[in-house]
Amino acid sequence: VYAQSQVQSTEIQGFYQTYRSFSFKTGVSEIDIPETNLNGGGFTIAKNLAPWFAMWTQLTFYGAAEQPNHRVRIISNLQGLRWQTKLHGPLQLYAKGGMGFSHYSMDVEGSGFGEYKFGVAYGGGAFIWASEHFGIVLDATHTVSGLPNLTDLSGRDKWDSGLTLASGLAIRF
C-alpha cells in the first residue's frame, strides 16, 4: 500500500524536542549552568534513496538555559544516515546516526558572544503513517556536543551528553 512512497521520496518533519539533562560546568560556580531540560523545536528534511535507506539533515532551536550571570541559547544542525525497516502496517522503525555542529549564543556577566562546537548523535524511532504521505514521528536520540571554553580552567566541562526526545509530524512526497 505504501511501497511507492518509500522509493526516491522526500520527507519533511516538524517536531517538538526536549534535551534532557543539559548542564554546563565552566569551572566558575557563579556562571555554571546546573542540570536542566532544554525544550525546543525544529525540522528535518530526509531524502529516501531506497526503501531501507535515507540521508537527513536536522535543525533544532532550543530555548535558553540560564542562571543569574549566564544565559545560553543553542541551535543544533546535524546531518546523517538513516536505516529503516519495511512497513509493518502503518509502523516503520528506524535507526540513525549523524554529526554536525551546535551554535552556542551566550550572555555572560553582560557580555554576549557565540561559538560553534562539533556534535554527534545516534538513536532511533518510529513513524506511524496515517496515509501514504502523512504520519507521526517519535524519536529518541543520544547527542554529544562540545562546549565552549569560557574560562580555560581544568575543572570545566568540555562535552555535554544527553538524551533528546522528539515527537512531530512527517509529510512524505
Side-chain angles (χ1 to χ4, degrees):
V1 170
Y2 304 117
Q4 181 66 11
S5 65
Q6 288 186 314
V7 178
Q8 294 289 316
S9 62
T10 301
E11 293 167 12
I12 298 176
Q13 304 167 21
F15 57 84
Y16 171 81
Q17 187 172 59
T18 298
Y19 187 130
R20 300 175 56 107
S21 303
F22 174 81
S23 64
F24 189 0
K25 183 178 174 188
T26 64
V28 177
S29 62
E30 290 80 19
I31 59 174
D32 286 350
I33 301 286
E35 188 172 296
T36 187
N37 290 339
L38 295 176
N39 298 313
F43 63 90
T44 299
I45 299 174
K47 178 66 176 172
N48 289 298
L49 300 173
W52 53 272
F53 179 76
M55 296 174 59
W56 55 271
T57 185
Q58 176 177 302
L59 188 62
T60 306
F61 301 90
Y62 291 105
E66 54 190 308
Q67 57 99 334
N69 298 316
H70 185 192
R71 182 174 188 218
V72 178
R73 292 170 306 282
I74 302 170
I75 299 172
S76 174
N77 181 255
L78 298 168
Q79 296 80 37
L81 304 174
R82 182 178 75 201
W83 295 267
Q84 52 208 18
T85 66
K86 299 184 299 184
L87 284 165
H88 302 283
L91 182 66
Q92 184 178 33
L93 303 175
Y94 66 87
K96 69 179 186 176
M99 65 179 134
F101 62 90
S102 293
H103 179 262
Y104 293 85
S105 176
M106 296 167 281
D107 298 314
V108 180
E109 299 281 343
S111 297
F113 61 96
E115 190 169 334
Y116 290 91
K117 288 295 188 178
F118 177 75
V120 296
Y122 60 91
F127 290 103
I128 303 169
W129 294 104
S131 71
E132 185 175 354
H133 301 287
F134 181 76
I136 295 171
V137 62
L138 304 171
D139 186 275
T141 301
H142 182 243
T143 303
V144 179
S145 293
L147 291 171
N149 183 1
L150 294 179
T151 63
D152 210 24
L153 297 173
S154 62
R156 72 178 184 88
D157 287 341
K158 296 173 181 69
W159 296 90
D160 186 66
S161 174
L163 178 66
T164 59
L165 302 172
S167 60
L169 301 175
I171 299 171
R172 181 184 284 171
F173 52 93

